[in-house]
Amino acid sequence: MELRSLGYFVRIAELGSITRAAAHLRLAQPALTRHVQRLEEELGVALFTRANRGVRLTEAGEKLLESAMRILRDVERTGDEIRAQEAHPSGRIILGVTPTLCPVLGPDLFARMRAEYPRVELKVVHAGMVRLEEFLIDGRVDVALLSELSRSRLIVSTRLAQEEMVLVTRPGARPPGAVRGEELRETPLVLGDGLRAAMAALLAGRGVELRVETEVNDHETMRLMAQRGAAASVLPYSSVARECERGLLEAHRLTEAGVFRTLAFGVRASRTASPAREAVGRTLARLVAEMDAAGRLSLGSAEQAGKSRVPRSLTQMSSRNSKPMVSTREDKKHAAGGPGKSAKEGHIDPEKRNAPSQNQHGPRVATKAPANAERGQGGRPG
């Protein structure tokens, strides 16, 4: 029994005429008659009898009319509820975020969700990359903002942006310019387990081993130690952009090409999407894109590397490449490095880059991530 046939049956009963119903429905009368005949054959009873100026319901037809009207109302109401849910998502969503990204994105995310999706209850938990993958797989979080593309077949991850990893020092601690391999090997660092493993993966194959003299698994403590000159640190640029803007810290590019990690949105592959989850994903993607456009995910041109800087305005960022990126296993093919000075000469091999475009603000350097930045090897970011 088709809903369409029930709808046609109800309209004939309401108008008392197949001819009038066919005109109202803009349907050929023989086609409408066939729908009624199929219903009668399926039920094994007559639904209408002929009247002077049309048709009237039989006793079986009266019973079917009552049930058909209730069914059609329920279907219409369900459709309205689903459409309302799409327009006004509701429900509880648990978002997992890495520790370095939580203070950067958390406040803005809560404010945006409260303003745009007040019916969605959002909870945020932070953990390292490995734990976040476990949380996604076992259902402890619904979605996650990851610091690299997941290699698990149970997780679907989509790249949102590239974020630069920078050497962070107190102002004036070193001269402007990119940090070369020899200097990086000799610089005493304060670093946590997660970031240490992440950098080992990002620098793999470059002949550089970080000199970690102090281990602290707390981002705020690492930032304060660098600010006071107790030690330098390697941190994501977004986590120190405001301090650099105020002149409290300086961020320096690691190698001329830069070292980048991948920010990705992750969900469990087997989990059904919900309007609330999609709302969180859209909002998170917009926030990351806005940060990228405002220059809060990476240093600017090579001339800016090593200096405290004010993030570029949206006008200055108009020439920035903002094409969407999707997680694939072919990422490495688009980030192949080129030859440079060898590790023996104490210099990290820079990667080949596209020729920089020129504008009124001076040269710009493309900031495409090296292959091992997109697909972490070994440890995972914190």
Side-chain angles (χ1 to χ4, degrees):
M1 191 177 298
E2 297 180 1
L3 288 175
R4 181 175 57 173
S5 296
L6 287 178
Y8 292 162
F9 165 76
V10 170
R11 187 50 49 91
I12 295 171
E14 290 173 340
L15 296 177
S17 168
I18 293 179
T19 302
R20 286 194 293 271
H24 185 273
L25 295 168
R26 297 182 179 180
L27 190 68
Q29 184 173 334
L32 188 57
T33 301
R34 284 195 295 272
H35 277 279
V36 175
Q37 290 172 343
R38 280 199 294 267
L39 281 175
E40 291 178 331
E41 290 172 0
E42 186 173 350
L43 296 172
V45 295
L47 299 175
F48 293 102
T49 59
R50 292 187 179 275
N52 291 334
R53 295 186 177 180
V55 294
R56 65 182 180 185
L57 290 167
T58 63
E59 184 178 349
E62 292 280 2
K63 188 171 184 178
L64 178 61
L65 178 63
E66 181 182 348
S67 297
M69 292 180 69
R70 184 176 62 253
I71 291 169
L72 293 173
R73 280 197 303 269
D74 288 343
V75 170
E76 183 179 6
R77 187 182 302 112
T78 301
D80 291 341
E81 291 173 354
I82 291 174
R83 285 187 288 272
Q85 172 71 359
E86 290 289 340
H88 305 285
S90 62
R92 188 168 188 261
I93 297 295
I94 301 178
L95 168 68
V97 187
T98 56
T100 54
L101 291 169
C102 193
V104 174
L105 284 167
D108 290 337
L109 178 61
F110 274 108
R112 190 75 62 89
M113 289 297 299
R114 191 175 295 115
E116 298 181 5
Y117 304 102
R119 298 181 183 180
V120 175
E121 179 187 351
L122 179 64
K123 178 181 178 180
V124 174
V125 298
H126 66 80
M129 178 70 185
V130 174
R131 296 295 303 280
L132 284 182
E133 287 183 317
E134 294 174 358
F135 291 172
L136 277 173
I137 292 170
D138 65 24
R140 276 180 280 180
V141 301
D142 301 296
V143 295
L145 180 59
L146 308 172
S147 55
E148 69 168 289
L149 294 170
S150 176
R151 289 169 286 175
S152 171
R153 295 182 179 179
L154 302 177
I155 295 174
V156 176
S157 57
T158 303
R159 186 189 302 133
L160 299 178
Q162 299 293 107
E163 180 174 27
E164 186 167 5
M165 303 298 293
V166 294
L167 179 71
V168 179
T169 67
R170 63 175 175 79
R174 67 177 298 278
V179 182
R180 294 180 177 272
E182 183 177 356
E183 179 185 354
L184 186 57
R185 282 194 296 269
E186 296 176 354
T187 301
L189 298 174
V190 53
L191 217 55
D193 294 336
L195 284 172
R196 184 176 188 174
M199 287 306 300
L202 294 172
L203 295 172
R206 301 193 184 194
V208 176
E209 184 175 347
L210 298 180
R211 179 183 170 187
V212 180
E213 291 195 348
T214 306
E215 293 191 11
V216 176
N217 288 315
D218 180 74
H219 162 259
E220 181 67 8
T221 302
M222 288 187 281
R223 185 182 63 78
L224 288 174
M225 289 181 68
Q227 185 175 320
R228 296 177 184 179
S233 188
V234 175
L235 294 168
Y237 180 67
S238 67
S239 65
V240 295
R242 289 187 175 87
E243 287 74 15
C244 291
E245 183 176 333
R246 294 196 295 265
L248 301 175
L249 287 170
E250 285 184 357
H252 310 272
R253 175 156 290 167
L254 299 175
T255 80
E256 295 293 338
V259 174
F260 296 81
R261 70 177 184 175
T262 299
L263 303 185
F265 181 73
V267 296
R268 192 174 71 184
S270 60
R271 191 152 191 168
T272 304
S274 70
R277 191 187 82 177
E278 296 302 309
V280 172
R282 287 192 301 269
T283 304
L284 196 58
R286 285 202 308 270
L287 285 173
V288 172
E290 289 168 8
M291 289 180 63
D292 195 16
R296 303 192 73 87
L297 293 182
S298 65
L299 292 167
S301 65
E303 292 178 354
Q304 293 287 347
K307 296 182 181 179
S308 175
R309 58 181 285 272
V310 178
R312 295 160 289 180
S313 67
L314 290 176
T315 301
Q316 292 171 306
M317 289 297 298
S318 61
S319 62
R320 187 183 185 92
N321 180 7
S322 58
K323 294 181 180 178
M325 295 175 287
V326 180
S327 166
T328 71
R329 289 186 175 274
E330 298 297 319
D331 292 336
K332 292 185 178 182
K333 296 182 180 179
H334 301 291
K341 291 185 178 180
S342 66
K344 294 181 180 179
E345 296 177 284
H347 175 53
I348 298 177
D349 292 349
E351 299 202 359
K352 291 182 180 178
R353 300 290 177 193
N354 294 332
S357 60
Q358 299 291 331
N359 59 27
Q360 60 179 342
H361 301 288
R364 295 169 58 81
V365 175
T367 54
K368 193 171 185 182
N372 54 2
E374 296 180 1
R375 305 289 295 180
Q377 304 170 10
R380 302 297 183 96

